Amino acid sequence: MSDVRKVSAGAGAEWLLGGFGLLRKAPAGLLATGAVLGLVTGLPLLLAEAAPGMFLGLQALIMLLTPVLLGGFVFAMHQVDRDGAASPAHLLEGFRNGRTLPLMAQLVPQIAFGVAAVLLLVLMVGVDQLQTLAAAMEAAQGQANPDPEVFAGLPAGRLLLWMLLVIALVIAVYFYTFVASPQIMLEGRPAFAAMARSFRACLRNLPAMLVFILLTLVVAVLMSVAAQVVGALFGLVGGVLVGALIGQIALMAVLMPVVIGSIYTAWSQMLAPGAGGAIDRSTASSGIEL
């Protein structure tokens, strides 16, 4: 871990404050960038009922492209940090500079997590018990106060252990991808090397990570409540789907600049080459090495 700088536990709070600080430096550009990202990721909501087939296809496409768009958001943050301007056009920077495949490679740990979670569930609980659980949940759906006997005989202990293992896997995946995007976008580092380095940085600075995660969850909940209120107001006029889309855009417009700015700040403190997160242009090539 010699290439990872050690920071104090309080740095987790500094990362979040850094995200707010970058937003204050260029509020118009970053809010607009977050809103456009929210619009793109929320578009499938409009097709959920009208065209379920297209909904699934569009959802899959957006899932593939989201890491690239987030990489562009990181680039926008770097521009703001250098006293430049941010705009929604920066979201496409990952497509323009040859970082598309490395950024998309960050989906590999997430896909592996999904496969591992399903396999663990089948191995630990069993197919027959899962069928019983599905039947019990279906029977309890229409009941205001479900009968506890419906769930009698289910392997509660193994289900709890599975949930704990899934939580551990989620944290591991998050550590692998936490500061991978800035390394790929701003250092030109190969994807899997960036993810391994991100994991090492999170482990070495575990107290700071715990502080950051807890504070970010609190901020995200508060912003989500505010966005739901906004969405509900628009929903009274435009309908439920329109309200949900407006709520998504409102949430992403504010939350994403703060979160991406926090990640950029964390990278700057733990991993960035040189002072202030300067790009090492000798490694910032336009290749697609993974």
Side-chain angles (χ1 to χ4, degrees), residues 133-184:
L133 175 62
M137 293 179 65
E138 185 177 353
Q141 277 183 352
Q143 303 176 17
N145 297 302
D147 184 359
E149 290 298 322
V150 174
F151 298 96
L154 292 173
R158 280 179 284 169
L159 284 170
L160 178 59
L161 178 58
W162 174 78
M163 291 177 63
L164 293 175
L165 289 174
V166 166
I167 291 173
L169 287 173
V170 168
I171 293 173
V173 170
Y174 184 64
F175 281 11
Y176 269 110
T177 57
F178 178 56
V179 284
S181 286
Q183 297 178 72
I184 296 169

Side-chain angles (χ1 to χ4, degrees), residues 30 92 116 125 157 190 214 218 249 258:
L30 290 176
L92 302 177
V125 179
L214 289 175
V218 173
I249 293 172
V258 173

Side-chain angles (χ1 to χ4, degrees), residues 181-202:
S181 286
Q183 297 178 72
I184 296 169
M185 283 296 298
L186 305 179
E187 299 178 45
R189 196 174 294 271
F192 293 104
M195 286 187 280
R197 196 162 171 250
S198 173
F199 188 77
R200 294 198 305 272
C202 292

